[in-house]
Amino acid sequence: MTKRTWALLAAMMVSLIYGVSFTIAKDVMPFYIKPFGFILLRVVGATLLFWMVSFMGPKEKIQWQDFPRIAAAALFGVAINMLTFFKGLSYTSPISAAVIMVTTPIIVLILSAIIMKEKIKALKILGILLGLFGTGFLILYGKSVGAATNAMLGNFLVFINAVSYALYLIIVKKLMDKYNAFTFVKWIYTFGLLMVLPFGWSESQEIQWQSIPPMILWEIGFVVVFTTFLTYLFNLVSMRELKPTTVAVFIYLQPLFATVFAMSLGKDQLTWVKVASAVLIFVGVFLVTKKKS
């Protein structure tokens, strides 16, 4: 397979893991671990794993002038990205948060045009709009809005999360062009750990480990190893070969995979609306990822 094919598969795996994680993380929070405490666990675990595997990578030294970019990637890709999403979700309804999140590819497209001077092609715009429509249709159909204690603030925080992740995809692209992923990702998470520590420390101290069932412990491990560690590695692999706008559009697949996973557990049913949504999403991803011949 070509490097581009591997990059597309890596981006697909990120969406698959995230889609499964929505159901798994819901078992853990907030009964066993509160959101900010869970984020601190994720970042601590991922930081340790990245430092361990970094010794298997090439021996490269990061130039001092690149550390501000790494700190910015940590700020937008780890700290703000995770903290605003979990906090926003606690204020607004899951459906509102999900709809706002899938605006990320559009934000990336706009920011790439402004910052990276990337040309916006009509086919790519069509693909993004099709994916957005399909995802919104899938999320909205048959779902109740639910309770929202402060929907305006919650929606704003989730939107900040979407903008933050979009900025991260653009910032980290320059690092990918210069270094091997193992060289700098450990530093991204080290800086990110320092940033989330003040927010998650108190909640992490409240965790009653002795009362957590073994199944929940396995699910915590899944979120740390797969949802945090592996997804960032896969994202970096995909970023080496693909444009930020292409990587971002795979976010549309997350609710689709989440629905399939829920159906496999008997928590959802297949309907014509879900089939139509799936078709729109895959067509949108195809149009955005299609390479010009």
Side-chain angles (χ1 to χ4, degrees):
M1 287 191 290
T2 63
K3 290 182 179 180
R4 180 177 173 82
T5 303
W6 278 115
L8 292 171
L9 285 175
M12 181 83 73
M13 284 301 300
V14 170
S15 294
L16 177 60
I17 293 171
Y18 276 136
V20 171
S21 298
F22 282 123
T23 302
I24 292 175
K26 195 174 180 181
D27 292 339
V28 180
M29 299 184 301
F31 186 75
Y32 295 103
I33 304 177
K34 291 180 180 178
F36 282 4
F38 200 7
I39 288 172
L40 182 58
L41 283 181
R42 289 178 61 183
V43 178
V44 168
T47 302
L48 292 174
L49 288 171
F50 280 125
W51 273 96
M52 285 191 290
V53 300
S54 68
F55 295 106
M56 296 185 291
K59 304 302 179 185
E60 292 180 306
K61 282 190 176 181
I62 296 176
Q63 297 177 0
W64 282 107
Q65 62 265 30
D66 289 325
F67 274 103
R69 180 176 288 274
I70 289 174
L75 177 65
F76 294 112
V78 178
I80 296 178
N81 176 40
M82 292 186 182
L83 293 171
T84 54
F85 176 69
F86 278 95
K87 197 65 175 178
L89 193 59
S90 68
Y91 288 137
T92 189
S93 63
I95 183 171
S96 298
V99 170
I100 294 170
M101 274 185 64
V102 296
T103 61
T104 301
I106 295 176
I107 297 170
V108 171
L109 190 65
I110 296 169
L111 291 177
S112 294
I114 297 172
I115 299 173
M116 300 175 67
K117 309 301 181 184
E118 184 179 321
K119 293 181 180 179
I120 305 176
K121 297 176 182 177
L123 198 64
K124 187 170 287 190
I125 294 174
L126 177 62
I128 286 176
L129 292 176
L130 281 176
L132 179 62
F133 182 76
T135 302
F137 200 35
L138 177 62
I139 294 170
L140 288 167
Y141 182 77
K143 304 288 184 181
S144 59
V145 173
T149 56
N150 192 340
M152 184 176 292
L153 176 59
N155 291 338
F156 175 72
L157 288 174
V158 174
F159 179 73
I160 293 299
N161 158 74
V163 175
S164 176
Y165 185 68
L167 282 168
Y168 162 76
L169 290 177
I170 294 172
I171 291 169
V172 82
K173 179 65 176 173
K174 288 285 183 72
L175 294 171
M176 287 299 304
D177 294 338
K178 193 171 184 179
Y179 303 104
N180 182 277
F182 290 109
T183 303
F184 65 83
V185 70
K186 62 188 178 186
W187 288 108
I188 288 180
Y189 263 84
T190 301
F191 281 112
L193 175 59
L194 296 175
M195 294 172 186
V196 302
L197 187 61
F199 298 92
W201 177 256
S202 60
E203 290 187 2
S204 68
Q205 297 302 298
E206 298 173 12
I207 302 172
Q208 303 295 322
W209 291 104
Q210 67 278 4
S211 63
I212 299 179
M215 186 61 187
I216 299 298
L217 290 174
W218 279 107
E219 290 180 329
I220 294 171
F222 178 90
V223 171
V224 172
V225 176
F226 285 85
T227 311
T228 313
F229 173 68
L230 284 181
T231 54
Y232 266 77
L233 277 185
F234 286 146
N235 248 337
L236 292 172
V237 169
S238 62
M239 285 294 294
R240 183 173 288 278
E241 298 296 327
L242 306 174
K243 292 182 179 180
T245 47
T246 304
V247 175
V249 82
F250 277 87
I251 289 174
Y252 290 145
L253 294 175
Q254 291 179 24
L256 176 64
F257 287 136
T259 300
V260 172
F261 185 65
M263 284 169 51
S264 69
L265 298 178
K267 296 181 179 180
D268 208 341
Q269 293 179 337
L270 186 65
T271 64
W272 69 268
V273 172
K274 288 165 187 166
V275 173
S277 298
V279 172
L280 286 171
I281 290 169
F282 278 114
V283 170
V285 171
F286 172 76
L287 291 176
V288 173
T289 58
K290 188 175 183 294
K291 196 170 185 179
K292 193 174 182 181
S293 58

